[in-house]
Amino acid sequence: MVSLPNLPAIPGWPSLTPGDYVGEPPSFPGSISDFDATILHYETLVEDARYQVIRNEDAEKLEKKHIREETRYIARQNKLIAERTRKGLTIPDEIYGNIERSQEAIAEANEVLQALPEHRTAWAAERDRRQKWLSYLRKERAKGLAKDGTARKCGSRKTADGSPCQNEKHYRKGSGWGPCTIPGH
């Protein structure tokens, strides 16, 4: 299987493009609002991958339709040639050119159809990979929320007056949600 960035261009389909792999976020979000922004970004990436797969399926349907139409056109032209030959009439030269152009169109459509499965497989795998990261981010974000849906508070008593710190907890990769970013908390 060809990697996602090295996918060949699909002739006649500029919307079917190669792409880049998306792995874990380059820097893990720290606060709930950072998580929200990162989740929104990953939702967009998942939608992009999903639309690539959908456009691929649409392209396949349309190319198969073009092949059917061109094949029917060639059959009509051949029927016209046979009818004119049987009647002893001359056959216009443009009929052979029309058949040749239809055969070229069928060859181009077959070329596109050969490239589409590889493209769809690569994008479907990338869509699943992006969805996995999105699910992970959502799950980690949920761990940072209190029962009432607000961000959990740091709660450290190492404040000037000894009352619990009211800053949001901070997420650290590998250790999860912990105290806020104030040193000593």
Side-chain angles (χ1 to χ4, degrees), residues 33-90:
S33 56
D34 294 341
F35 262 92
D36 290 341
T38 304
I39 287 171
L40 182 63
H41 176 67
Y42 271 75
E43 286 173 344
T44 304
L45 293 173
V46 168
E47 283 301 305
D48 289 345
R50 191 171 74 80
Y51 284 129
Q52 282 288 330
V53 173
I54 290 170
R55 283 193 297 264
N56 185 297
E57 292 167 353
D58 292 345
E60 183 176 12
K61 290 175 190 170
L62 200 57
E63 292 298 332
K64 286 180 178 179
K65 180 182 176 188
H66 286 159
I67 290 173
R68 281 193 309 273
E69 288 172 353
E70 294 296 336
T71 304
R72 286 184 197 131
Y73 180 76
I74 290 172
R76 283 195 310 272
Q77 294 299 310
N78 285 334
K79 184 177 178 183
L80 181 66
I81 290 171
E83 192 176 299
R84 292 183 74 89
T85 304
R86 188 175 32 106
K87 291 181 180 177
L89 301 172
T90 59

Side-chain angles (χ1 to χ4, degrees), residues 28 131-141 171:
F28 259 81
Q131 183 62 49
K132 182 184 90 175
W133 278 108
L134 179 60
S135 297
Y136 174 78
L137 288 168
R138 285 179 174 155
K139 187 173 18 168
E140 288 300 315
R141 179 189 182 277
Y171 185 84

Side-chain angles (χ1 to χ4, degrees), residues 6 22 26 29 39 63 90-91 95 98-99 107 114 138-139 143 151 155 160 162-163 173:
N6 297 328
V22 176
I39 287 171
E63 292 298 332
T90 59
I91 300 166
I95 288 181
N98 293 341
I99 290 174
Q114 288 176 354
R138 285 179 174 155
K139 187 173 18 168
K143 291 177 185 177
S163 63
K173 184 180 176 193

Side-chain angles (χ1 to χ4, degrees), residues 11 27 65 76 82 92 104 112 119 141 153 157 181:
S27 62
K65 180 182 176 188
R76 283 195 310 272
E104 289 171 4
V112 169
H119 182 273
R141 179 189 182 277
K153 305 297 180 197
R157 296 223 177 242
T181 55

